[in-house]
Amino acid sequence: MASVHVATTVNGDVTEFVCQPGETLLDVLRNRLGLTGAKEGCGTGDCGACSVTVDGQLVCSCLVLGAEAEGRKIGTIEGLADGDTLHPLQTQFINHAALQCGICTPGFLVAAKALLDRNSSPTEEEVRFALAGNLCRCTGYDKIVRAVNAAAKDVRKQQARVKKAAGKRR
Amino acid sequence: MRYEAPTTTREAVSLMAKAKGKAFVLAGGTDLLVRMKSGVIEPDLIVDIKRIEATQSIKQTAGGFRIGAAVSGAAMAKSAALCKAWPGVVEAANLIGSDQIQGRCTIAGNLCNASPAADSVPAMVAAGAKAVVVGPKGRRTVAVEKIATAPGKTSLAKGEIVEAITLPKRPAKTGDAYLRFIPRSEMDIAVVSAGVCLTLNAKGEISKARVVLGAVAATVVLVPQAAKAIIGSRLDDDALAELAAACGKACKPINDMRGTIEFRTDVAGVLARRAAKIAYQRAGGK
Ligand SMILES: Cc1cc2nc3c(=O)[nH]c(=O)nc-3n(C[C@H](O)[C@H](O)[C@H](O)COP(=O)(O)OP(=O)(O)OC[C@H]3O[C@@H](n4cnc5c(N)ncnc54)[C@H](O)[C@@H]3O)c2cc1C
Ligand code: FES
Ligand code: FES
């Protein structure tokens, strides 16, 4: 088996790795790059625990080959917080106790971030549909949905503050 | 196994044609990787077509639309012109999987995977979609319904790949729709599905129609008798009843854990009626 050399960007950092041609991006992230936030729940695209973004697009990393990452921009849960400052989604997941065992949590956070990036005021129904590809065996989902809607509010407030500050500067 | 990501269709075709052993095209990988990981297939070569420019975009042409074979469901939803012209096709494509799957899945992959329950295929067939097939002997354009021949089997020859799917320019007073039945509201495989495309004349009567059923036979089925049942009508109750009856007759479904033969046969008619009503409204019918 000929190994593949891949040059890519992960959470903004230029990264190189060598992998097997049939190896998934999930396995590369976890086993070669030490980024163990993304989890393997099913390996078949059903549970969303392995969610990451590729060029900004939400995908299941268990159904992407590592070799496909060449030249792309990969985003993982490890890039969600800004240093020590948690993302509002992370803060609200804690506030709402939206996790128990935590296996599904990185996937939910990455998927919820993708939702808020395109729609910062989703309805409850929109949140439920957007997260339909993420399974949780513990929480019963309600706390997760409430946490996402609360985080959306925080994100909107943040956006308004940034806008106001930009206005003042002008 | 070898992984190749050529940048031209010609290179991709040549790799596929020359491959010794089992070679597979990789589009979104949402079927291929699942099958690889479960050991159902053991590829010797994977040809990723996503770096080929001709597969990457949706183009509006004089003849209609050209949707590259690497365009994801999510990207289709972002094309306002495509959504306006062929809402049924886009809705069907967007039913595939979750947001994560939408970021990767393609309608060409949905077609070439050749599942009788493939969601985008009945809608494509109803709309008169064609596959642009490129192979070692050149290029040909084939009606989408000619691609799948049996579950998991296609009419593509060795080395042939689908470069794009084309949709005609939507004729005046035309509407399309697709509906599927699943026991959940998301993330499931169609138990039965129906796609309808119809055109109205100046009097508001149906002048042309295509009615297509999914998951009720070994391939998606075009049902000319069902189209005949509504042509000339304004979709009154009699025409709808005849449409449903014709759909029932065209079903050759299987019994499995998701539905019985009786259930699938009955629901095919129900879905075809509902899809016809939506298509009729979209065509401007009252
Ligand atoms: C969690 C999950 C949910 C799903 N839900 C649905 C659903 O609701 N409805 C549904 O219909 N499907 C569903 N699917 C199946 C799958 O997502 C679709 O069939 C999808 O459209 C396949 O597209 P792809 O681009 O990922 O194909 P790939 O996996 O890349 O390819 C599929 C097959 O077609 C071949 N192929 C692909 N592109 C070409 C080409 N251009 N030329 C020649 N051969 C080609 C490949 O070699 C392979 O054999 C689901 C899958 C998963 C994992
Ligand atoms: S591990 Fe990828 S979807 Fe479950
Ligand atoms: S918290 Fe355990 S699976 Fe979601």
Side-chain angles (χ1 to χ4, degrees):
Chain A
M1 261 201 239
S3 300
V4 188
H5 176 260
V6 177
T8 185
T9 307
V10 181
N11 300 326
D13 296 330
V14 174
T15 307
E16 290 184 45
F17 59 84
V18 173
C19 70
Q20 295 301 313
E23 203 171 326
T24 64
L25 177 61
L26 176 63
D27 285 342
V28 167
L29 290 170
R30 292 182 57 84
N31 304 338
R32 298 190 187 268
L33 303 179
L35 297 171
T36 54
K39 304 281 185 273
E40 181 167 60
C42 64
T44 52
D46 293 291
C47 78
C50 63
S51 296
V52 303
T53 56
V54 175
D55 286 347
Q57 183 70 56
L58 181 68
V59 301
C60 294
S61 62
C62 71
L63 296 185
V64 178
L65 294 176
E68 292 182 64
E70 174 70 35
R72 310 277 190 214
K73 290 190 175 65
I74 311 298
T76 73
I77 184 64
E78 285 85 354
L80 189 61
D82 182 6
D84 286 340
T85 312
L86 293 183
H87 186 275
L89 277 165
Q90 292 170 306
T91 308
Q92 292 296 2
F93 264 59
I94 297 169
N95 291 348
H96 285 78
L99 63 152
Q100 289 178 30
C101 79
I103 281 279
C104 68
T105 314
F108 268 102
L109 288 169
V110 170
K113 168 75 165 39
L115 167 65
L116 297 190
D117 282 350
R118 95 181 112 83
N119 176 5
S120 60
S121 17
T123 61
E124 181 192 330
E125 198 185 352
E126 283 170 337
V127 172
R128 287 187 188 272
F129 265 101
L131 299 179
N134 294 81
L135 300 184
C136 174
R137 298 294 285 167
C138 303
T139 64
Y141 300 101
D142 277 8
K143 291 171 170 181
I144 294 175
V145 174
R146 270 180 246 138
V148 172
N149 278 127
K153 219 172 180 181
D154 296 342
V155 166
R156 291 199 299 275
K157 266 191 227 153
Q158 250 178 19
Q159 285 168 345
R161 267 200 303 273
V162 171
K163 223 175 179 181
K164 214 169 152 195
K168 264 187 199 153
R169 239 176 278 136
R170 219 176 288 142
Chain B
M1 189 186 100
R2 210 153 53 96
Y3 167 87
E4 296 286 349
T7 54
T8 64
T9 305
R10 192 194 255 183
E11 265 178 275
V13 166
S14 150
L15 282 163
M16 290 293 294
K18 283 187 200 137
K20 293 189 193 84
K22 297 190 193 82
F24 291 88
V25 169
L26 169 65
T30 58
D31 279 313
L32 191 72
L33 263 74
V34 173
R35 287 201 293 147
M36 260 168 71
K37 293 170 82 177
S38 65
V40 177
I41 54 168
E42 286 177 16
D44 297 295
L45 171 68
I46 283 187
V47 178
D48 184 353
I49 58 167
K50 291 190 290 298
R51 311 263 170 184
I52 302 169
E53 208 190 318
T55 68
Q56 289 168 357
S57 58
I58 300 174
K59 287 208 172 80
Q60 227 174 326
T61 61
F65 291 88
R66 186 183 189 284
I67 303 164
V71 171
S72 67
M76 285 174 68
K78 282 188 200 142
S79 166
L82 184 64
C83 293
K84 188 159 175 260
W86 295 108
V89 174
V90 178
E91 284 165 8
N94 289 159
L95 282 175
I96 299 171
S98 56
D99 280 11
Q100 283 89 337
I101 301 298
Q102 279 293 310
R104 298 265 293 169
C105 71
T106 65
I107 53 173
N110 200 214
L111 176 65
C112 295
N113 190 57
S115 159
D119 278 309
S120 71
V121 180
M124 283 198 274
V125 173
K130 295 197 164 71
V132 179
V133 177
V134 185
K137 289 191 195 131
R139 182 177 285 266
R140 61 191 178 103
T141 303
V142 206
V144 154
E145 57 268 34
K146 296 268 159 56
I147 299 289
T149 53
K153 298 237 151 55
T154 69
S155 57
L156 298 175
K158 183 170 163 74
E160 280 191 328
I161 69 172
V162 174
E163 185 183 64
I165 300 289
T166 64
L167 282 167
K169 205 155 143 184
R170 190 186 60 164
K173 285 177 161 292
T174 296
D176 75 326
Y178 172 80
L179 294 173
R180 71 172 178 184
F181 175 83
I182 56 171
R184 309 173 61 193
S185 57
E186 270 245 341
M187 293 290 284
D188 210 340
I189 302 167
V191 180
V192 191
S193 68
V196 175
C197 180
L198 49 82
T199 301
L200 308 183
N201 64 18
K203 288 186 280 181
E205 296 158 350
I206 297 169
S207 59
K208 270 188 207 149
R210 277 163 80 85
V211 179
V212 188
L213 300 175
V216 294
T219 64
V220 156
V221 277
L222 183 63
V223 191
Q225 291 305 325
K228 223 183 256 171
I230 54 171
I231 288 175
S233 82
R234 285 197 166 82
L235 220 56
D236 50 86
D237 288 346
D238 287 349
L240 284 169
E242 234 183 282
L243 165 81
C247 286
K249 270 192 201 141
C251 292
K252 290 185 192 69
I254 52 166
N255 267 324
D256 70 4
M257 62 174 182
R258 285 178 300 113
T260 60
I261 291 173
E262 291 78 11
F263 180 79
R264 286 188 154 108
T265 307
D266 194 42
V267 174
V270 174
L271 291 181
R273 291 166 68 138
R274 290 182 189 168
K277 281 187 187 167
I278 299 170
Y280 187 69
Q281 217 174 17
R282 284 178 174 166
K286 280 179 199 99

